[in-house]
Amino acid sequence: MGKPLIVVESPAKAATIKKYLQGEYDVEASAGHVKDLPEGSLGVDVQKDFEPQFVVMKGKKRILDHLRKMASQAPAVYLAPDPDREGEAIAAHIAEEVRKVSPQVQRVLFHEITREAVRKALESPREVDERMVHSQLARRILDRLVGYQISPILWKKVQGGLSAGRVQSVAVRLVVDREREIEAFVPREYWVLTADLGRLPPREAQGFSAVLRRIGGKKAEVADQGAAEDLMGRLRQARWVISHIERKDRKRAAPPPYITSTLQQDASRLLRFSPAHTMAVAQRLYEGVDLGDEGRVGLITYMRTDSVRLSQEALRETRDFLRETFGDAFVPARANLFRNRRSAQDAHEAIRPTSVLRRPSEVRRFLDRDEARLYGLIWARAVACQMTPAIYDQTVVDVEAGPAEFRATGSVLRFEGYLAAWRFEKEPDRPEEGAEEPEPAEEDEGPVGALPADLQEGEDLRLVDLRGEQRFTEPPPRFSEAALVRELEERGIGRPSTYAAIVSTIQTKEYVVKHEGRLRPTELGRVVTDLLVQHFPGIVDYQFTARMEESLDRIEEGDLDHLVLLREFWSDFESLLKRAVREMRSVKADAIPAGVDCDRCGKPMLIRFGKNGTFLGCSGYPACRNTREFIRDGNGKVAPKEVESPGQCPKCGRDLQVRSGRFGRFVACTGYPECDYKRAYTMVEQCPVAGCSGHLVEKRSRKGKVFFGCDRYPECRFVTSYRPLGEACPQCGAPTLFLRSFRGGRTVLCLRENCGWSRRERAQGAAAEEAR
């Protein structure tokens, strides 16, 4: 008889647990799911009450054979995939196989990978939770029914290779709807009046600024320049006097510990991580990292959670650490407790360090850069959440000038409270959460800044300057990846385990693209969304999708039978499928009117879908074969791109034009198909490599990513994803600099080896958009 067998998902987790158990157990990894519905068919028999037809996944037969062999020699088998629905399903599938050779099969949950947590979990095994398995099964079948039934219709009506998803299609709709909000938005002019005020002798050096808040007791609304100039003319003649002063303490409470969505949002905002990258790094921290003499240790608790609850052990350790490190003033009398959202499952704790005693500075040398930065973020948030509030001394000053009231607000940090955690053990390149901006004022309280301490009610002031600034109302901002995650969470769409995958999938499927850190729908995303809204309104309805998530939770809680949910869904969905096959418009055959005319024959242009993306094609085809690339303007209207002509065709003498294809831009003859001349598109920018005489070529990878390489390849292997600029390096003289764009800013940099010159720039409009 062998040792008891523990089966986990990943080899990294297996290595960590094996170290803890010191040879008492065999620990093996399943490498994720071992069974799934077949790829080539629906795999769900709707006539037999949605009976699933699970098959062993490609490459997993060898793993299952090995697990069965190990289980046959083990006195007991403990199934320990991740502690969530997916993990429960994996455990159920492995249990089906190993029970053939071993009757002693039980489930254990590792919420954190530490020596104590692992041993404690092994002391409390349980059976596989059938309710969790049924909940996951219902989700899997729903996703398969939607994806495998709608996708073939889209292949026939729009373009081959498309896919629809129960949650991904809703996420795309959010992006499409937001884009149309922006396009339909009509800016409204308004003016902001700011007064620079001086004090009378002997305090004339202690001035301050205030902003117009009210006129005649009502909220100020200055619509245009004429109204602003008229009002300013009257106010310049008015008496300016302090009418009211309010001095108060403003407390800023500690934030809750991280859950999956808030971790993804802060990692995006502070570390520039995508949601998918955040989860990949967090997975490594959870599964275990080699800390030298201490060996492999799981540094954080399970990272897929929607609960802000912390264990009593974690609270005690954190509060003891705070008293010793910061002092009693930073520790509240009772532990800070936070309320979960109503939809939270509360199956796991919040995301926290497995021990706050492992300070970021102590473990940083064992981690790669991204692991260290994310661990530092999680550690600081877990410490901060159990600290006292930050306290600000706030002064609000109201100034009367005739019928107008101006307001200024002064705010000074008096006690750091939880903000101290963000400066403690802070990495040099990580921004401080919560401490990088001043204490925010209430709505309409005016600018926040230092105010003279001795201002008095009734004090007369002198007007130094009065200025008006024209502004316009702005549309809602496009979603960043993190903002889309927040929107999905707030609407109850998806779950912690799915957010990152959703955001990645809609970009991989090319329904959405990321431009300067913000998500925009592609033409394909618009068209598919419109068709789904018309023919499958429930599938892309926000509330319907949220209710479906609630139903899946009810299955897990034992309040709903999964077959009841599937039957109800299918009864409506089946009729919609039949109708869509008959009635859905064939975009592939009819194309979409673009609202512009052909520049060659004058006939209407149509938006068409090809294997290389969307383009404008003349409705007079085949008599007129004119095609154009296009963009949409700020109002969503189609506008043909200007055709760049790099000269005449050497074969027939007609104009050449720059076109875009599957692997990037190229130069082709406008006489195609009569003339098939074609060559690679070479940019005017020179290769930055010293001694190279080549020019840069724009290319596209097989996954659709744009990059730039030297046209002298393979002699010169220079390649970059940064866009070239027609500007020389002021430091080394390289002929081309490159632009690296990211959310909120841009960096111009030199890529010549051993140079390192760079210049930070602020992207146009980024500051305003980021502030919103």
Side-chain angles (χ1 to χ4, degrees):
M1 186 65 70
K3 303 172 186 176
L5 173 65
I6 299 174
V7 182
V8 297
E9 286 186 55
S10 77
K13 190 193 298 186
T16 304
I17 294 171
K18 189 178 295 185
K19 189 258 314 185
Y20 290 152
L21 299 177
Q22 299 176 333
E24 300 172 32
Y25 295 75
D26 287 322
V27 186
E28 299 291 340
S30 70
H33 280 275
V34 293
K35 291 183 176 181
D36 197 5
L37 299 173
E39 291 186 5
S41 62
L42 181 63
V44 178
D45 193 335
V46 296
Q47 304 301 323
K48 293 184 178 180
D49 232 357
F50 306 96
E51 179 181 313
Q53 300 162 8
F54 284 105
V55 298
V56 176
M57 296 169 64
K58 185 177 180 180
K60 294 301 177 74
K61 182 180 182 302
R62 180 182 59 81
I63 292 176
L64 277 176
D65 289 343
H66 179 67
L67 292 179
R68 278 192 296 264
K69 179 179 178 181
M70 296 291 291
S72 67
Q73 302 168 4
V77 178
Y78 299 100
L79 304 176
D82 286 349
D84 55 16
R85 289 175 188 163
E86 292 297 317
E88 207 71 23
I90 293 172
H93 287 151
I94 297 174
E96 288 175 357
E97 297 297 321
V98 300
R99 281 199 176 112
K100 298 174 183 177
V101 296
S102 174
Q104 300 298 321
V105 180
Q106 290 184 295
R107 174 82 159 112
V108 293
L109 303 178
F110 298 147
H111 295 284
E112 57 185 83
I113 310 301
T114 61
R115 189 184 310 277
E116 297 76 14
V118 167
R119 291 196 174 272
K120 187 175 180 180
L122 289 169
E123 293 171 1
S124 305
R126 62 164 173 79
E127 297 301 312
V128 172
D129 189 328
E130 291 299 323
R131 295 184 304 186
M132 291 184 72
V133 173
H134 286 159
S135 178
Q136 191 276 342
L137 178 61
R139 178 188 292 277
R140 189 72 188 93
I141 291 175
L142 286 169
D143 290 344
R144 177 55 67 101
L145 291 175
V146 171
Y148 270 56
Q149 300 284 22
I150 296 181
S151 296
I153 301 176
L154 296 178
W155 300 346
K156 183 178 180 181
K157 304 289 187 177
V158 184
Q159 179 178 300
L162 297 183
S163 71
R166 187 180 59 85
V167 180
Q168 84 173 38
S169 297
V170 179
V172 175
R173 183 183 180 183
L174 281 170
V175 178
V176 171
D177 285 354
R178 176 60 59 86
E179 191 70 20
R180 285 177 172 154
E181 276 187 75
I182 294 170
E183 292 169 353
F185 183 82
V186 178
R188 179 177 56 83
E189 180 184 6
Y190 69 100
W191 284 66
V192 175
L193 271 58
T194 303
D196 294 334
L197 300 170
R199 304 181 71 188
L200 302 180
R203 302 183 181 92
E204 61 269 22
Q206 302 174 5
F208 61 95
S209 296
V211 171
L212 177 65
R213 181 172 178 259
R214 293 181 179 275
I215 301 175
K218 298 180 180 179
K219 183 177 179 180
E221 293 184 358
V222 184
D224 52 40
Q225 184 175 0
E229 291 178 348
D230 178 68
L231 179 60
M232 287 192 293
R234 289 185 283 127
L235 292 178
R236 288 190 177 100
Q237 308 303 316
R239 177 190 174 204
W240 294 74
V241 60
I242 296 177
S243 59
H244 179 69
I245 297 177
E246 181 181 7
R247 294 182 173 91
K248 59 184 178 181
D249 290 345
R250 170 73 62 82
K251 290 186 177 181
R252 190 173 179 183
Y258 282 130
I259 59 177
T260 303
S261 59
T262 54
L263 177 63
Q264 291 176 1
Q265 291 159 33
D266 269 11
S268 173
R269 181 171 64 92
L270 297 170
L271 307 181
R272 312 297 181 190
F273 288 1
S274 70
H277 184 59
T278 297
M279 297 309 290
V281 175
Q283 184 84 34
R284 298 199 297 269
L285 296 174
Y286 163 71
E287 291 178 347
V289 176
D290 192 339
L291 299 184
D293 294 340
E294 194 177 355
R296 292 190 67 87
V297 176
L299 290 180
I300 64 170
T301 54
Y302 193 55
M303 63 284 162
R304 295 184 180 92
T305 177
D306 54 8
S307 171
V308 291
R309 174 179 56 83
L310 293 174
S311 70
Q312 290 300 315
E313 294 82 358
L315 290 173
R316 280 195 294 270
E317 184 186 64
T318 302
R319 287 167 60 81
D320 289 344
F321 171 81
L322 290 172
R323 288 191 189 93
E324 182 179 341
T325 306
F326 294 95
D328 289 341
F330 289 84
V331 187
R334 295 179 183 153
N336 293 331
L337 301 179
F338 302 91
R339 181 175 298 178
N340 283 325
R341 288 176 176 267
R342 188 178 64 178
S343 61
Q345 293 180 280
D346 200 33
H348 318 293
E349 287 185 70
I351 304 170
R352 62 168 176 83
T354 53
S355 173
V356 296
L357 301 181
R358 293 192 184 94
R359 301 181 179 184
S361 61
E362 296 173 352
V363 301
R364 190 174 300 146
R365 60 195 175 100
F366 301 108
L367 309 177
D368 67 29
R369 184 172 183 265
D370 287 354
E371 290 169 349
R373 298 174 77 202
L374 191 65
Y375 180 72
L377 204 63
I378 294 169
W379 185 93
R381 182 71 165 242
V383 170
C385 81
Q386 290 306 311
M387 297 176 73
T388 49
I391 301 177
Y392 292 81
D393 288 331
Q394 188 173 74
T395 303
V396 178
V397 178
D398 291 334
V399 179
E400 284 187 358
E405 178 187 295
F406 285 69
R407 173 167 287 187
T409 301
S411 188
V412 178
L413 180 64
R414 175 158 56 89
F415 176 69
E416 281 189 309
Y418 80 91
L419 294 177
W422 296 99
R423 282 182 279 276
F424 183 76
E425 301 250 337
K426 176 184 172 292
E427 289 187 68
D429 59 350
R430 178 173 62 77
E432 295 178 7
E433 162 67 16
E436 72 273 18
E437 74 277 352
E439 165 66 2
E442 298 287 351
E443 185 178 3
D444 291 334
E445 282 196 349
V448 177
L451 290 176
D454 58 346
L455 293 173
Q456 301 293 325
E457 290 186 6
E459 179 180 345
D460 283 316
L461 303 170
R462 61 186 178 85
L463 180 63
V464 176
D465 187 26
L466 182 60
R467 58 189 182 277
E469 179 185 357
Q470 182 190 41
R471 295 185 185 178
F472 292 90
T473 55
E474 296 183 334
R478 293 182 176 91
F479 290 112
S480 64
E481 290 181 321
L484 182 57
V485 167
R486 182 171 63 247
E487 188 76 12
L488 290 169
E489 180 192 35
E490 290 178 352
R491 291 178 180 267
I493 298 169
R495 281 295 179 259
S497 60
T498 64
Y499 295 140
I502 292 168
V503 173
S504 296
T505 298
I506 63 176
Q507 295 178 73
T508 301
K509 299 296 184 181
E510 297 186 352
Y511 291 137
V512 169
V513 294
K514 186 162 64 173
H515 178 70
E516 294 186 351
R518 298 282 166 166
L519 300 176
R520 297 186 180 188
T522 62
E523 204 63 38
L524 191 61
R526 289 173 183 260
V527 169
V528 170
T529 295
D530 290 344
L531 292 174
L532 293 181
V533 168
Q534 181 180 357
H535 295 281
F536 299 95
I539 296 298
V540 289
D541 180 77
Y542 302 135
Q543 293 184 348
F544 175 85
T545 307
R547 288 196 300 270
M548 190 65 69
E549 296 291 351
E550 292 174 0
S551 296
L552 294 171
D553 292 343
R554 290 177 58 203
I555 293 171
E556 182 175 334
E557 294 161 3
D559 296 333
L560 179 65
D561 187 285
H562 74 289
L563 292 177
V564 172
L565 176 65
L566 294 172
R567 291 170 194 149
E568 290 178 353
F569 173 80
W570 181 251
S571 64
D572 294 329
F573 185 59
E574 185 179 24
S575 61
L576 292 175
L577 285 170
K578 293 176 181 177
R579 187 180 305 156
V581 171
R582 296 192 310 268
E583 300 178 4
M584 183 181 286
R585 176 187 180 186
S586 177
V587 177
K588 182 183 292 186
D590 300 340
I592 302 171
V596 296
D597 294 331
C598 176
D599 56 317
R600 292 189 186 175
C601 72
K603 291 184 177 180
M605 297 290 276
L606 302 173
I607 298 175
R608 295 191 179 276
F609 297 86
K611 62 182 179 180
N612 298 323
T614 53
F615 62 95
L616 296 181
C618 183
S619 59
Y621 179 88
C624 179
R625 295 174 176 266
N626 186 26
T627 61
R628 295 284 298 274
E629 296 179 44
F630 70 95
I631 59 173
R632 287 186 181 268
D633 63 19
N635 297 318
K637 295 182 179 179
V638 170
K641 283 186 178 179
E642 292 297 324
V643 177
E644 180 182 348
S645 179
Q648 279 69 48
C649 175
K651 290 180 68 174
C652 70
R654 282 178 278 200
D655 287 339
L656 296 173
Q657 63 180 344
V658 178
R659 306 290 301 273
S660 292
R662 182 180 177 187
F663 298 112
R665 292 200 285 179
F666 62 94
V667 176
C669 181
T670 55
Y672 180 84
E674 290 82 6
C675 178
D676 61 358
Y677 177 79
K678 184 167 67 173
R679 64 174 172 82
Y681 172 71
T682 303
M683 306 172 74
V684 297
E685 287 83 2
Q686 293 178 286
C687 176
V689 175
C692 180
S693 60
H695 289 74
L696 298 177
V697 177
E698 180 181 317
K699 300 182 179 180
R700 192 178 297 269
S701 70
R702 293 187 182 274
K703 293 185 177 181
K705 299 291 185 181
V706 173
F707 66 96
F708 304 90
C710 182
D711 64 357
R712 294 186 62 246
Y713 178 88
E715 289 82 6
C716 177
R717 294 180 176 269
F718 174 80
V719 65
T720 182
S721 61
Y722 301 152
R723 185 164 293 278
L725 300 174
E727 182 180 344
C729 176
Q731 180 167 294
C732 72
T736 304
L737 294 174
F738 295 83
L739 177 67
R740 175 178 177 264
S741 298
F742 53 96
R743 178 174 172 249
R746 313 189 310 173
T747 300
V748 176
L749 65 161
C750 180
L751 297 184
R752 176 167 285 184
E753 189 174 3
N754 299 324
C755 178
W757 181 88
S758 66
R759 178 181 73 235
R760 182 72 181 270
E761 294 183 346
R762 194 71 169 164
Q764 185 176 6
E769 187 170 28
E770 189 171 8
R772 294 196 300 275

